Structures are given as structure tokens and as C-alpha cells.
Amino acid sequence: MKTEMKTAGWENKVRRVVPYTPGEQPKRKDVIKLNTNECPYPPSPKVKQALEHFGEESLRLYPDPQSLDLVEALADYYHVGKDQVFVGVGSDDVLALSFLTFFNSDKPVLFPDITYSFYDVWADLYRIPYQCQPLDDNFRLKKEDYMVENGGIIFPNPNAPTGLMEDIEVVEEIIAANPDSVVIVDEAYVDFGCTSVIPLVEKYENLLVVQTFSKSRAMAGMRIGYAIGSPKLIGYLNDVKFSFNSYTMNRLTLACGRACVEDEDYFREITQKIIATRERIKPELKRLGFLFQDSRANFIFARHETISAAELFEALKADGIFVRHWNKPRISEYLRITIGTDEEMDRLIAWLENYMESRRA
Amino acid sequence: MKTEMKTAGWENKVRRVVPYTPGEQPKRKDVIKLNTNECPYPPSPKVKQALEHFGEESLRLYPDPQSLDLVEALADYYHVGKDQVFVGVGSDDVLALSFLTFFNSDKPVLFPDITYSFYDVWADLYRIPYQCQPLDDNFRLKKEDYMVENGGIIFPNPNAPTGLMEDIEVVEEIIAANPDSVVIVDEAYVDFGCTSVIPLVEKYENLLVVQTFSKSRAMAGMRIGYAIGSPKLIGYLNDVKFSFNSYTMNRLTLACGRACVEDEDYFREITQKIIATRERIKPELKRLGFLFQDSRANFIFARHETISAAELFEALKADGIFVRHWNKPRISEYLRITIGTDEEMDRLIAWLENYMESRRA
């Protein structure tokens, strides 16, 4: 700034927040990137075709505010009505708007103490009271904790960053016990071997299921998330969306998103490949002294029996292998390792073998 | 819904809003679309090139959360620092986040009674008190109205939907009189013959200028808006953005947005063409009995001396010519007519001549 500034009264009117810190997005191309749970495979070839056939002249016009092309493709895929699907700019957009729409009371919203780190950020942003319910010593949620008075409930299944799956019966018990609150099940990682509760939206009007294109559909760079729920729930969410920004999904996103959903074969192929790699790598990591439970996500959340997570995190990073580490209570000894390609995982294992070796020497 | 529903306690916790109704987006291809102020020309050919050279494999990865490609292009274009530029999903996203960030007090936010119809929607959504300051009988703002205690100030220049420009000296007086509030100048239409206050961001830390790619840059379908202000102001806005959604701008948007900004020649060419068409059409509309002031936007806000706006709106629509009409106090006799291509405007004029003729017969 070139000229001198008055000290500023306007700052008293500013909403101050502690923002979420996303996982590092290194600019270097030569890294093994296992830190933000992206898909190691490219998007469906149908997406490339959609791009090739996209007429860029149409970009002068606003997109369809109803996002019908994409909504219809998802409705067909999940066998629900078009009025049961909401789409947004990544599941973060869908979840943030859901917090704003559904958690509008003085009672605390409930979520696990170890969970997706954006939940408390949204609650703070919108001044929503919340209470973290501690997971048990095995990182499992205690269902009784979600059967107390509350302003709403949200948890991921499988949970993040633990990767642990909750039985669908337990999830249903929690939904059924809370007819006076909206229960959001965040299924960002459900496609890697967990069971979705989408079929339950026909039974429970207060259930919202949120999913994303960023993991199993290999489209993190396109920013698509969606929610499936009762027509009434989706209607309220649309009202808030149309009060915020009518046109959130651009024309390219709608075209590529639809093409992606329509290629079910490719989707099955890449998710199965990631599951196979994960299962193949589990015994390797165990052999090297890592401890972890049964992950149903595209990552493994593990600690090492002797080496600290902070040490491993830094040593891996120095050699261009990025994983995720949080300096937070209860999980500071864990690393979250995204499942990459077989080749990437073999390089990780080779690096770990070498590191253990040199450490013993 | 297939099974029966309980009546719902959860609905007591829902944020109820009256959503904004965007202008109609007809699916018919044969219409003359003069209702949502889109650009009648396609985006820069550089955008087509950016699409052709985009590697779709990269879509598997999250985009840059800092949106640096686009931020840098805009910083270069406007000769400001990278830390003075914020980008979002259309100017609606930028403005909504600005309301949430900067208008966080118990005092009323001030804006004109006749203005962009989203301002009161955002204020309602975020429970921000506001007060509409009536424009005078000539639809000009009275600067004294913005020199009273307030929680923030926002107005478009040129104003929407009137198209009238406020002198930059008056705008500066309002900014200077309000060091204790953020003043947002919404310059969505500034490129069609109005003067931007962007140079004033070096002088006033409390000034935020918001612009969009949807009008003068022919990219409504891509959803890009941006704000320029002091580094401190932009910092606060980024904090809130990172508390809402870290990755709002997808990879295609960043690539196409940058290509668009870099093609300054094309930008000048299409804005000059639209201005020329607007000036050519003004005397034609006057000859046909329309009354309007000097528009500096890509639309003309006009009433007819004898025929009601509602009648004209419906008759035009029946023949496939879409313009905008609001059933609102003070402006219900006005139509907002977007400037299209010369051919489209000639067809509009021919239609009007014919309509006047047959009405006299």
C-alpha cells in the first residue's frame, strides 16, 4: 500500500475466524502425493469427451440454476427423485450450506471429537453451538452420545481421518432416535467398501446423506459434492442456496459431472483397484511395525509402534512423499496415508523399509 | 417418498428464507434473450485455446486453494498486489462472503431502495440489520443518506437496475466519510462507460471493489467474480472463505479465467461494440416513446410513455423476446432491456414498431 493508512474502526465490524488449513498442495511435480485423499487415477474418459464436445460459446450464458443435467444423472444413478438431490461446489459447499440451513437452534450440534476438521470451523463461522462427543479408546462412536438433546447431528461414515466404518444398524438407530433434528451422514469415503445409508432417505425425512466427486470419482479438481435426502430437506437447502448464490455450478462442471456419473463401469473399476491396493498394502505396513484398524476408506490411518508420527512425517516429506499429520490431541501419533497407485505404494513401502533399516544401523 | 412420514420436529431448527428469484433461463433456443445482462458475444478465443490445452487428467487433483493463476492475472491487469485480489464463484459468491465477513455488527447496513435485489436477501440470510435509503425522484442516490451511523455500506456503480452512474467524487466522499465501516462498491457493470474506483483502494483501507466476468468478459457460464481492496480487507475475506470452502474455484475455471483476463484486446473490442450498440439504439427507443436516463451499463432501464411495462413484458415474451420486469414499488413501470447484438436489437426495434402500429390500428 502506497499511502498511509488510518487505524481502522471498520475492523470492529469484521467477523474474525480461525480458518481451516487444508492439506498442502505442493507445486513440485515429482512428489508422491498421499496427503489429501485424491484418486490416483484420472477421471473417466467420458469426461475428456465431454470437454471435447463442449461448445465454449455457451460460456457467455449463465448456467442452469437448477443444475438439472447433473441432478438428473445423480437421481437416476441412486434411484431417487430429482427433488431429492442437491449439488454444490464440493461437499464442503454442501456441508457448509447444510450447517447454515439445518443447525439453526440454540442447542448444541453433536459430532465426534475425532472427525473431519471442518465441522467445528463451520460451527464457529456461523456461531452454531456444538459439542464434541469423544470416540471410545478404539476410535468408535458411542451411540448413546447421540441420543441426548441436540441441535443437529453430523458424522462421517466411514469416519475421517480414522477410516473406520460404523454399522448401518447403529447409524439407523441414531437417525431414528432424533426425529427433532437433522442427522447428516457424511459419506465422502463410502465407495471404498462401506455401506451407504442413501436407501434410508425414503424412511427418514430428517436424514441428509452427503457425498463427493473428489475421491471415488477422481474429480477433486472439478469441485462437485451432493446431498441426497427427503424432498422437504432438499427444498430447504435449495432455498438457502438460492439466497446465497443462484449459479454455483458452472457449465463445464455440469457437463463433466454428468459424463462422470454416467460411466458406472469406470467408477467401479477404479474404486475396486484402490480397494485392492489398500488390502495388498495392509500386511506390508503391519510387517513394518505400523498399527491400524480396518480402514474402509481410500487411506490408512496408522501409528508406528516405535517411531513418532512427527518424525516419519518430516522424513517422508524431505524425500518428496507427502502424507497427512495433525498435531491434535489423541491423534498426534497417527499418519493418514492416502492409497495411491500400486507403484506409488511400492515406493512408499521401499522407502519405509530403507528408513527402518538405516535407523536400526 | 414411499413410506409415511412423521410430522417433523427437525423443521423447527431450519433456517427459513425467502430465496432470490433469478431471471428466467429459457430452455428454448430461438429466443432473443435480453433479460439477464449476459454478453451477446462469445468469450475470448484464448478461452477456447485454454480449454483445448487443458489436461483433463489433472482434474483428479484439488485445485490451488489460493487460485494464484487467476489472482496473479487480475493483479497484473489492475496493477495491484496479489494480496489485494480475492476471487469467487461469481460476484454473488464474493458479495455474500463480504456481507458475512464485513457486516458483522448490530448497526444497519445501508443500501439504496432501488438496487441489486440480492442485497436484502443476503442480509436476511445472515440476520444482518439493514436500512434501504430511498433514491431521489430521478433515481440518484443522496450522499447525505450514507453519512449516518451504519454497519456497512454497499451500492452498485453504475446502479442496477437503473444503469445510472454516480460521479467518482461522490463515491469517494462516501468512502472517506465512513472510516468505521467497510464500503463495498459493486462494479458489475463498470466496463460499459463508467469509472472504476479501483485506484482508490490504495488510499482507503475500508474500500472493497467487486467486479465480475459475467457481463463485460462474456463468461457468465463460468462463474467468476472478484474483489479488489487493501491487503487487510482481502485477508479477512480469505479467512472467511477458508472457513467455508477452501477450494471454490475449479481447475477449468482458473485456466479459462486467466486466459480471458490476458486477452485485453478482445475485452476492449466487445465492450466497445456493446457501448456502440447501446448508443445507436437509444434514439430508436426514444422515437418509439420510451423514457430513460443515460445508461452506462449493458442494459437500458426504460418506461414507455403510454404502454404499461407489464403489458409490454408479456407481449414481448409471447413472441420470444425476453426482457426483465419487476413487480416492485417505484419500478413496476420499467423494463430492463439488455443490450444484445445489433441484429437482436434491430429485431427488438422492429417488433416494437409493429406492436405500436397494431395497437394504434
Side-chain angles (χ1 to χ4, degrees):
Chain A
M1 304 300 292
K2 282 153 204 155
T3 55
E4 87 186 24
M5 289 291 172
K6 300 166 210 165
T7 48
W10 61 267
E11 289 185 89
N12 297 322
K13 293 167 184 163
V14 170
R15 181 176 292 248
R16 310 286 184 104
V17 291
V18 179
Y20 174 80
T21 311
E24 219 168 331
Q25 300 294 357
K27 302 256 179 211
R28 290 166 50 191
K29 296 280 177 197
D30 59 337
V31 304
I32 299 183
K33 194 167 178 308
L34 308 176
N35 69 332
T36 52
N37 295 341
E38 288 139 334
C39 180
Y41 305 108
S44 155
K46 298 257 193 288
V47 172
K48 186 183 164 79
Q49 286 170 25
L51 272 178
E52 281 165 2
H53 293 102
F54 184 81
E56 74 289 343
E57 329 78 50
S58 73
L59 286 175
R60 73 175 186 86
L61 298 170
Y62 282 97
D64 169 19
Q66 315 283 349
S67 301
L68 269 185
D69 266 356
L70 182 54
V71 163
E72 279 174 355
L74 287 165
D76 286 351
Y77 184 85
Y78 290 107
H79 308 293
V80 296
K82 283 185 292 182
D83 56 356
Q84 294 183 266
V85 180
F86 177 86
V87 295
V89 182
S91 64
D92 286 345
D93 181 44
V94 175
L95 289 165
L97 289 175
S98 299
F99 268 61
L100 187 61
T101 308
F102 300 122
F103 297 163
N104 189 39
S105 84
D106 298 329
K107 293 174 191 156
V109 168
L110 308 177
F111 47 82
D113 62 337
I114 301 168
T115 195
Y116 184 37
S117 24
F118 239 123
Y119 297 160
D120 58 354
V121 175
W122 289 317
D124 286 335
L125 176 65
Y126 296 128
R127 314 279 190 254
I128 299 167
Y130 65 92
Q131 189 176 313
C132 294
Q133 304 295 57
L135 298 179
D136 71 16
D137 289 343
N138 291 316
F139 290 168
R140 314 303 307 217
L141 62 79
K142 294 170 277 179
K143 63 183 181 187
E144 322 80 70
D145 285 353
Y146 299 88
M147 296 175 180
V148 296
E149 203 179 34
N150 64 72
I153 288 171
I154 181 165
F155 55 86
N157 195 33
N159 196 9
T162 65
L164 303 186
M165 177 178 83
E166 210 48 67
D167 283 339
I168 196 167
E169 292 75 21
V170 173
V171 177
E172 181 165 4
E173 276 184 76
I174 293 174
I175 301 162
N178 285 283
D180 292 341
S181 292
V182 172
V183 178
I184 302 177
V185 182
D186 179 353
E187 295 189 339
Y189 300 102
V190 78
D191 295 321
F192 302 102
C194 188
T195 309
S196 173
V197 289
I198 286 178
L200 295 183
V201 303
E202 303 295 337
K203 194 167 165 192
Y204 300 100
E205 201 184 44
N206 63 323
L207 167 63
L208 191 77
V209 184
V210 177
Q211 295 194 5
T212 175
F213 281 48
S214 298
K215 321 295 179 186
S216 55
R217 295 186 185 273
M219 297 259 274
M222 188 56 101
R223 316 308 303 123
I224 307 177
Y226 53 101
I228 295 182
S230 61
K232 218 191 246 182
L233 218 56
I234 298 300
Y236 286 127
L237 203 45
N238 267 318
D239 285 350
V240 167
K241 172 245 169 88
F242 280 108
S243 295
F244 177 78
N245 187 356
S246 307
Y247 304 99
T248 53
M249 309 300 282
N250 73 39
R251 284 177 172 267
L252 281 157
T253 307
L254 295 176
C256 293
R258 183 182 185 106
C260 175
V261 177
E262 288 177 347
D263 194 354
E264 190 170 343
D265 289 346
Y266 184 82
F267 166 72
R268 302 238 169 263
E269 181 191 327
I270 60 173
T271 47
Q272 287 310 313
K273 259 161 90 173
I274 291 163
I275 291 170
T277 305
R278 180 187 68 204
E279 296 308 313
R280 181 177 72 78
I281 231 64
K282 278 178 176 175
E284 301 280 313
L285 286 173
K286 287 203 169 130
R287 180 175 58 80
L288 288 161
F290 284 94
L291 305 167
F292 50 88
Q293 299 184 69
D294 181 29
S295 169
R296 296 296 179 99
N298 67 338
F299 56 81
I300 290 173
F301 191 61
R303 65 188 174 90
H304 193 267
E305 54 190 8
T306 56
I307 313 174
S308 84
E311 176 189 325
L312 275 171
F313 174 78
E314 292 299 339
L316 281 160
K317 188 170 161 179
D319 284 345
I321 302 178
F322 284 68
V323 299
R324 194 85 192 264
H325 175 241
W326 289 269
N327 250 324
K328 281 189 178 176
R330 299 188 71 187
I331 60 168
S332 60
E333 281 312 319
Y334 285 80
L335 296 176
R336 191 195 65 187
I337 305 165
T338 305
I339 304 300
T341 59
D342 276 309
E343 192 213 334
E344 287 173 324
M345 299 317 278
D346 288 343
R347 285 170 65 191
L348 170 72
I349 295 295
W351 184 95
L352 287 168
E353 274 168 348
N354 189 51
Y355 188 78
M356 307 293 166
E357 193 75 29
S358 64
R359 218 167 167 273
R360 270 191 296 268
Chain B
M1 304 301 290
K2 281 155 205 152
T3 55
E4 91 186 23
M5 289 289 173
K6 300 167 210 165
T7 49
W10 60 267
E11 290 186 87
N12 297 322
K13 293 167 184 164
V14 169
R15 182 175 293 247
R16 310 285 183 104
V17 290
V18 180
Y20 173 80
T21 310
E24 219 168 331
Q25 301 294 356
K27 303 258 177 208
R28 289 166 52 191
K29 295 280 177 197
D30 59 337
V31 304
I32 299 183
K33 195 169 176 308
L34 308 175
N35 68 332
T36 53
N37 295 341
E38 289 139 334
C39 180
Y41 305 108
S44 156
K46 298 256 192 289
V47 171
K48 185 182 164 79
Q49 286 170 26
L51 272 177
E52 280 165 2
H53 294 103
F54 184 82
E56 74 289 342
E57 329 76 52
S58 73
L59 286 175
R60 74 176 186 86
L61 297 170
Y62 281 98
D64 170 19
Q66 315 283 350
S67 302
L68 270 185
D69 266 356
L70 182 54
V71 163
E72 279 174 355
L74 287 165
D76 286 351
Y77 184 85
Y78 290 107
H79 308 293
V80 296
K82 282 184 292 183
D83 56 356
Q84 294 183 265
V85 180
F86 177 87
V87 294
V89 182
S91 64
D92 285 345
D93 182 43
V94 175
L95 289 165
L97 288 175
S98 298
F99 268 61
L100 187 61
T101 307
F102 300 122
F103 297 162
N104 189 38
S105 84
D106 297 330
K107 294 173 190 156
V109 168
L110 307 178
F111 47 82
D113 62 337
I114 300 169
T115 196
Y116 185 36
S117 23
F118 238 124
Y119 297 161
D120 58 353
V121 175
W122 289 318
D124 286 335
L125 176 65
Y126 295 128
R127 314 281 190 250
I128 298 167
Y130 65 93
Q131 189 176 312
C132 294
Q133 304 294 57
L135 298 178
D136 72 16
D137 289 343
N138 291 317
F139 291 167
R140 314 302 307 218
L141 62 79
K142 293 171 277 179
K143 65 183 179 187
E144 321 82 68
D145 284 354
Y146 299 88
M147 295 176 180
V148 296
E149 203 178 35
N150 63 73
I153 288 171
I154 181 166
F155 55 87
N157 195 33
N159 196 9
T162 65
L164 304 186
M165 176 179 83
E166 209 47 67
D167 282 339
I168 194 166
E169 292 75 21
V170 173
V171 177
E172 182 166 3
E173 275 185 77
I174 292 173
I175 301 161
N178 285 284
D180 291 341
S181 292
V182 172
V183 178
I184 303 177
V185 183
D186 178 352
E187 296 189 338
Y189 300 102
V190 77
D191 295 321
F192 302 103
C194 187
T195 309
S196 173
V197 289
I198 286 178
L200 296 183
V201 302
E202 302 295 338
K203 194 166 164 192
Y204 299 100
E205 201 184 45
N206 62 322
L207 167 62
L208 191 76
V209 184
V210 177
Q211 296 193 6
T212 175
F213 280 47
S214 299
K215 322 293 180 185
S216 54
R217 293 185 186 276
M219 296 259 275
M222 190 55 102
R223 315 307 303 123
I224 306 178
Y226 53 102
I228 295 185
S230 62
K232 217 189 247 182
L233 217 55
I234 297 300
Y236 286 127
L237 203 45
N238 267 316
D239 286 350
V240 167
K241 172 244 169 90
F242 280 107
S243 293
F244 178 76
N245 186 357
S246 307
Y247 304 99
T248 52
M249 309 299 283
N250 73 40
R251 285 176 171 267
L252 281 158
T253 306
L254 295 176
C256 294
R258 182 180 186 109
C260 175
V261 177
E262 287 177 346
D263 195 353
E264 190 170 343
D265 289 345
Y266 183 82
F267 166 72
R268 301 235 170 267
E269 181 191 326
I270 59 173
T271 47
Q272 286 311 313
K273 258 161 89 173
I274 291 163
I275 290 170
T277 305
R278 180 188 68 203
E279 297 307 313
R280 181 177 72 79
I281 230 66
K282 278 178 176 175
E284 301 280 313
L285 286 173
K286 286 204 169 129
R287 181 175 57 80
L288 287 162
F290 284 95
L291 304 168
F292 51 89
Q293 299 184 68
D294 181 29
S295 168
R296 295 297 180 99
N298 67 338
F299 56 81
I300 290 173
F301 191 61
R303 65 187 172 91
H304 193 268
E305 53 189 7
T306 54
I307 312 173
S308 83
E311 175 188 326
L312 275 171
F313 174 78
E314 291 299 342
L316 281 159
K317 189 170 161 180
D319 283 345
I321 302 177
F322 284 68
V323 299
R324 195 85 191 264
H325 176 241
W326 287 270
N327 250 324
K328 280 189 178 178
R330 299 188 71 187
I331 59 168
S332 60
E333 281 312 319
Y334 284 80
L335 296 176
R336 191 193 67 186
I337 305 165
T338 304
I339 305 299
T341 61
D342 276 309
E343 192 214 332
E344 287 173 324
M345 299 317 279
D346 288 343
R347 283 170 65 192
L348 170 72
I349 295 296
W351 185 96
L352 287 168
E353 274 168 347
N354 189 51
Y355 190 78
M356 306 295 165
E357 193 75 28
S358 64
R359 220 169 167 275
R360 270 192 296 271

